[in-house]
Amino acid sequence: MQKTQVDIQDQFWQDYSGLIRNTVIPYQWEALNDRIEGAAPSYAIRNFRIAAGLEEGEFGGWIFQDSDLYKWLEAVAFSLRHHPDPELENIADGAIDLIGQAQHENGYLNTYYTVKEPGKQWTNLHEAHELYCAGHLIEAAVAYYQTTGKSKLLGIARRFTDLIDRMFGTQPDQIRGYCGHQEIELALVKLYEATGEERFLTLSRYFIDERGSKPSYFIEEWERRGKTSIWSEGTPNLEVYQCHLPVREQSVAVGHSVRAVYMYTAMADLARLTDDDELRKACERLWDNTTRKQMYITGGIGSTHLGEAFSFDYDLPNDTVYAETCASIGLIFWARRMLQLEAKSEYADVMERALYNNVLGSMSKDGKHFFYVNPLEVWPEASSKNPDKFHVKPVRQPWFGCSCCPPNVARLLSSLSDYIYDVSDDGSKVYTHLFIGSEIGFETGGCQVVLRQHSELPWNGRIEFSISLSGTAGSAAFELALRIPNWFQDGRPVLKVNGTDLDYPVENGYAKVARSWSDGDTLTWLLPLETKLIAANPQIRADAGKAAIQRGPLVYCVEEADNGLPIASLSLAGEPELTESAAADLLGGCMVVEGNGQVVDESAWTENQPYQPLRKQTRPVRFKAIPYYLWGNRQAGEMNVWLRY
Amino acid sequence: MQKTQVDIQDQFWQDYSGLIRNTVIPYQWEALNDRIEGAAPSYAIRNFRIAAGLEEGEFGGWIFQDSDLYKWLEAVAFSLRHHPDPELENIADGAIDLIGQAQHENGYLNTYYTVKEPGKQWTNLHEAHELYCAGHLIEAAVAYYQTTGKSKLLGIARRFTDLIDRMFGTQPDQIRGYCGHQEIELALVKLYEATGEERFLTLSRYFIDERGSKPSYFIEEWERRGKTSIWSEGTPNLEVYQCHLPVREQSVAVGHSVRAVYMYTAMADLARLTDDDELRKACERLWDNTTRKQMYITGGIGSTHLGEAFSFDYDLPNDTVYAETCASIGLIFWARRMLQLEAKSEYADVMERALYNNVLGSMSKDGKHFFYVNPLEVWPEASSKNPDKFHVKPVRQPWFGCSCCPPNVARLLSSLSDYIYDVSDDGSKVYTHLFIGSEIGFETGGCQVVLRQHSELPWNGRIEFSISLSGTAGSAAFELALRIPNWFQDGRPVLKVNGTDLDYPVENGYAKVARSWSDGDTLTWLLPLETKLIAANPQIRADAGKAAIQRGPLVYCVEEADNGLPIASLSLAGEPELTESAAADLLGGCMVVEGNGQVVDESAWTENQPYQPLRKQTRPVRFKAIPYYLWGNRQAGEMNVWLRY
């Protein structure tokens, strides 16, 4: 792929990137420094200061707390790319200096083992997240280097990676292990791409290929530790860590969902970069299983809070759901890599689904509150009084003790420009995966092309492209491939070039327009948004007899604030007559959907009886649905995505 | 109430009492002796042998394991009452000898503390179940004494109770505590009734009244133990044990559901025996809350497996449900006592609901397999693959490590004759609470009356009574009160005396026929059974838009074995046209209900897609429903009680 410069110029998304830049990044810096009143302390900076010998104290927070700082730095790097900010860069440089001070002579870097368990390094790969934290360090270092050109953090990461490269592998004097939480695998690919050094790619492939080999490293390691673990009891459950089978033999997504999708991301990278067909096929099988059988309509994955895990095919309960924010972010990472392996619209469809629904919904409008769990059905009283639902919060929380999700949202949204296009090396093929207003510059045939996309999604489906050329040639020949989203289902979208309808071939879900483009050419891509009722596969028991409302990429939900109680009593009428209207004042402005429904007429109910003969007495109501990503921004209330019909 | 002799003569129930006598009691004896292959060992007898010094070894099983033997002995006593069996009595006498050998000089009796933690007696009332086990000892002793006239076990129980009576109370040298698991309170009432000694009643009232006083005994005790507990972490959660408030101030059922209903049972006993209006009002408030807001249609209670507990009003999830067998049995105990407090049909309605559905359904047709949890919606794959549902078993288990439920079923079903009638002291009022074929003898005005009830419930609702008189008088004047069940909802049932329709007054849900009865008089009570669709209160979110099928006292369910997969796909048609038919060969013979339904037409589904626009393509089916109590007797399969309409 050609390296390109993409700038987002889009009302909807600029609001978010502004929020990330102006609120989330500064807020999270305060959180990392334990300066947010009422929020769980992070301890992250403090741990580094103690490890660096600048402060006395105990290690605080989770064993993987270092990664929060790294993820924040990565988000900062992405943000600085589009919005230089010397003050912020200065703060980041200071944090990087601190990280350097905490690094050991030999390159080792992990504040937990430096402060709390010196001498126990590398004795608990199963649980201790050392390589996971190293992975986030590498990702931050690559991003910071690519944006600022400063190589200090990259040097720190390389020194640590050099140590890891010496220590891990199949040689007799090496540890033949891998991390309990995949992450370093995808990070090493980035380090390879940034430095061109093959050994990083080789190390990534080692971790991927070693995983799942027998005898199990984790079980042997656990026996060496005297059969003790930090969290789990008994023999390590290998499925949790996706090391129950060699990764090339895996076909079903199992275990901890974030671990899984981070691993699949690295597998897709390796399949592409090493042209590994076996690995590609494993990715495709796992993709099919994850997105066709274990994904919520919101792009959430992970059906149970116990182990934050996948459960099994078609098991997608809406109320005891997990659907962790980080898991959907990982799914987006993976989808992005699958698109690079092969441009198929279904990968971008999933990317868009997870982005506009699960991920956007995880953050409050003020950028200071987050969901870790993203439910599709909420009864606040159950969240506080039924322990089976304690993990489902009806309102976003200011910060979490285990705060993996907020910095992950920040780094995804601040790098969103990387998710929109792919341009082939020679510039002859330009794919548009997402319809987000933006400008991309690339080169083809000696000509500099600037492609501008104007989009009003998710509210309006008219997309306009314009082309500017500079350089010696008067025209540029390239194929523009436009994704046909899976939510557009009425034949083929209309495509106009310079105002004239154009027929086009479709390949892998992309409309293809190959021509010689001239400066000033325009292309119009019409994806009229229709509000639709969506059904779930009949195998998904939890959604049987129910429908969800979707308009374009946005899934909708009904909330108590608009529809009263109990929200479960509301069902769709036979003729729902859905209408849509702009509500400029609602939740910062959105399109609301209204429809005919019915609720049980409680006046027909014998007071205080739990059960009585069915009378089917209902009263008609006109319900109001709002985009799912906006739920829970008013008060704690009941919410529901799937409505009985 | 007059002490009466009641014999059950009823095809349906004699099958069960025969099963209890011929299978369950012998099987459980084998289980208590760890002789059931493939079942979790009980250790109960072995613990007594070790405590008695007859065997060397470690204590095995739960801290309350002794109670399993006591509950078994109580069931034996009830069974012997109707079916003398010298061999069984001999085994029981042997077990009683063993219990006596394990008793300490001072009366103390608990194998856990004798074998495993001598010297630690009474240091953990919060968790250690010593008084709970004493309660079951007392119950067994009273029953065994009443049936056999043998007083050895009663003597053992009295000696232990004497010790408890000395040790517990409000005097300065006494322990001012109570048990973490209520049970002794209701047992002491039985001991009072069997012996006439007031001090047992006083001790029961002490335990009830002390409960919930501040400062909390459990918290102080926990602090004395150095803030350690066996199971729970942190400060004891007083709601779990219903000691968050003085019991007289309680209005909402909270905490562990078996503990709760055992306590409410004792409270109702005490309210009646001590004419305590404040306690009666507390019972009535708790009854309303439990049965109107926290009870499943099957008579199950307890909405969450975490803490085996109530959650909150109207929270009755069908799939993550607990509805422990013992909790419904305790609910029946409580309902029985409420009937004795005041003859109101709603108490008997709940008793019948829990009996015919949750409790009967807990035992397999072979009497050797039991459910601990009684779900209303089952997906076997979820029970094995989603940890949120691991507690919901799709097939009955042979025995449990914590095997409170099977012996509880045995003792309830073998004493069922105690649940049918109440006769006032002077014989002037005779209440029939349950329509179970039986014969009751009582005395009124110097006349011996035998009332025979013929019933074919739950299949047929024609109930026939006949009266035989003996003694000097030619007639006997008494009021016969017949419960009008809450499932009979079409005006008033027809009542005939000697073949002639008779009008009757109704009081508290009972039809009352006061007359002078002659020898040979007959009474016919017509409760034609109709299959009905039942709705749940709209506040019960889990059942919104759904109906259950009920015929007479029986709740029905649909199973995969009759209806295919996925069972969740099945919904009721607008005109379900329910029909009923006898299926003599099905599950030992039952009435099945068939109806019009629809299932999603999977051929209308785009293969392998999780979501697609709603097409509402269904195909009509004629579904088959079986009584809930018979579910899970074929193979592990999907099951559902509540159907969408």
Side-chain angles (χ1 to χ4, degrees), chain B residues 242-280:
Chain B
Q242 294 84 33
C243 54
H244 56 302
L245 275 180
V247 301
R248 291 165 188 275
E249 297 173 21
Q250 297 187 23
S251 300
V252 175
V254 297
H256 186 264
S257 54
V258 177
R259 285 171 165 85
V261 287
Y262 279 20
M263 177 175 88
Y264 306 154
T265 300
M267 285 164 64
D269 273 337
L270 289 168
R272 171 174 55 90
L273 292 167
T274 65
D275 203 14
D276 186 329
D277 200 52
E278 195 183 34
L279 213 45
R280 168 205 289 256

Side-chain angles (χ1 to χ4, degrees), chain A residues 210-226:
Chain A
E210 189 58 30
R211 198 167 201 94
S213 62
K214 294 279 154 25
S216 164
Y217 183 81
F218 290 163
I219 292 175
E220 294 191 329
E221 184 197 61
W222 169 72
E223 287 166 346
R224 282 197 294 276
R225 282 197 313 273

Side-chain angles (χ1 to χ4, degrees), chain A residues 295 315 535 541 611-612 638, chain B residues 295 386 535 541 611-612 638:
Chain A
M295 182 183 71
D315 182 43
R541 273 67 169 172
Y611 307 105
Q612 71 179 28
E638 295 186 21
Chain B
M295 183 183 71
N386 184 327
R541 272 66 168 175
Y611 306 105
Q612 72 179 27
E638 296 185 22

Side-chain angles (χ1 to χ4, degrees), chain A residues 378-393:
Chain A
V378 170
W379 183 7
E381 205 174 354
S383 291
S384 65
K385 295 183 181 168
N386 184 326
D388 298 323
K389 296 179 188 161
F390 281 177
H391 63 289
V392 177
K393 304 296 178 203

Side-chain angles (χ1 to χ4, degrees), chain A residues 291-293 295-297 304-306 311-312 314-316 379 381-382 385-388 489 533-541 544-545 547 566 568 574 600 602 605 608-614 616 638 642 644-645, chain B residues 291-293 295-297 304-306 311-312 314-316 379 381-382 385-388 489 533-541 544-545 547 566 568 574 600 602 605 608-614 616 638 642 644-645:
Chain A
T291 63
R292 293 171 191 265
K293 296 181 177 172
M295 182 183 71
Y296 288 92
I297 192 171
T304 171
H305 71 116
L306 289 157
S311 56
F312 64 99
Y314 302 117
D315 182 43
L316 294 164
W379 183 7
E381 205 174 354
K385 295 183 181 168
N386 184 326
D388 298 323
Q489 280 144 332
L533 291 176
I534 306 293
N537 190 306
Q539 296 296 321
I540 304 175
R541 273 67 169 172
V600 173
E602 298 213 25
W605 196 263
N608 224 1
Q609 282 302 319
Y611 307 105
Q612 71 179 28
L614 177 65
K616 286 195 194 174
E638 295 186 21
W642 289 98
R644 290 186 311 285
Y645 59 80
Chain B
T291 64
R292 294 171 191 265
K293 295 182 177 170
M295 183 183 71
Y296 288 92
I297 193 170
T304 171
H305 71 118
L306 289 158
S311 55
F312 64 99
Y314 303 117
D315 182 43
L316 294 163
W379 183 7
E381 205 173 356
K385 296 183 181 170
N386 184 327
D388 298 322
Q489 279 144 332
L533 292 176
I534 306 293
N537 190 307
Q539 294 297 320
I540 303 176
R541 272 66 168 175
V600 173
E602 299 211 24
W605 196 262
N608 224 1
Q609 281 303 319
Y611 306 105
Q612 72 179 27
L614 177 66
K616 284 195 194 173
E638 296 185 22
W642 289 98
R644 287 187 313 284
Y645 59 79

Side-chain angles (χ1 to χ4, degrees), chain B residues 365 459 556 562 580-594 624-627 629-630 634:
Chain B
K365 294 292 290 177
W459 311 125
Y556 276 67
D562 300 308
E580 42 204 57
S581 57
D585 299 331
L586 187 66
L587 297 162
C590 66
M591 295 291 286
V592 300
V593 169
E594 293 180 296
K624 185 193 277 191
I626 63 160
Y629 81 90
L630 290 169
R634 288 171 290 186

Side-chain angles (χ1 to χ4, degrees), chain B residues 265-456:
Chain B
T265 300
M267 285 164 64
D269 273 337
L270 289 168
R272 171 174 55 90
L273 292 167
T274 65
D275 203 14
D276 186 329
D277 200 52
E278 195 183 34
L279 213 45
R280 168 205 289 256
K281 289 210 172 77
C283 288
E284 288 170 351
R285 288 194 308 270
L286 290 162
W287 177 268
D288 277 1
N289 178 263
T290 304
T291 64
R292 294 171 191 265
K293 295 182 177 170
Q294 301 204 69
M295 183 183 71
Y296 288 92
I297 193 170
T298 53
I301 52 174
S303 301
T304 171
H305 71 118
L306 289 158
E308 308 184 313
F310 291 105
S311 55
F312 64 99
D313 291 356
Y314 303 117
D315 182 43
L316 294 163
N318 295 303
D319 56 346
T320 56
V321 50
Y322 206 65
E324 183 183 341
T325 303
C326 285
S328 284
I329 291 172
L331 180 61
I332 291 171
F333 295 160
W334 181 24
R336 186 73 189 93
R337 304 316 195 278
M338 293 304 285
L339 278 173
Q340 290 174 318
L341 253 184
E342 185 179 10
K344 280 174 71 175
S345 62
E346 68 167 297
Y347 301 133
D349 286 334
V350 167
M351 196 163 78
E352 186 186 59
R353 185 185 289 283
L355 177 65
Y356 279 91
N357 299 290
N358 198 290
V359 174
L360 269 196
S362 74
M363 188 169 67
S364 62
K365 294 292 290 177
D366 69 4
K368 294 181 181 175
H369 299 80
F370 299 87
F371 284 127
Y372 195 111
V373 169
N374 297 278
L376 286 84
E377 185 180 324
V378 171
W379 183 7
E381 205 173 356
S383 291
S384 66
K385 296 183 181 170
N386 184 327
D388 298 322
K389 295 179 186 161
F390 282 176
H391 63 289
V392 177
K393 304 295 178 199
V395 290
R396 293 169 184 82
Q397 309 291 303
W399 193 257
F400 304 92
C402 172
S403 204
C404 49
C405 299
N408 237 352
V409 174
R411 68 189 187 121
L412 174 70
L413 294 185
S414 57
S415 62
L416 195 58
S417 59
D418 295 340
Y419 291 78
I420 306 172
Y421 303 101
D422 271 317
V423 178
S424 62
D425 277 334
D426 62 0
S428 65
K429 285 170 192 277
V430 179
Y431 280 88
T432 303
H433 304 306
L434 296 179
F435 301 106
I436 292 178
S438 54
E439 193 177 287
I440 177 170
F442 63 95
E443 194 187 279
T444 187
C447 184
Q448 292 295 327
V449 184
V450 174
L451 177 70
R452 281 187 195 80
Q453 178 183 175
H454 175 81
S455 167
E456 290 171 8

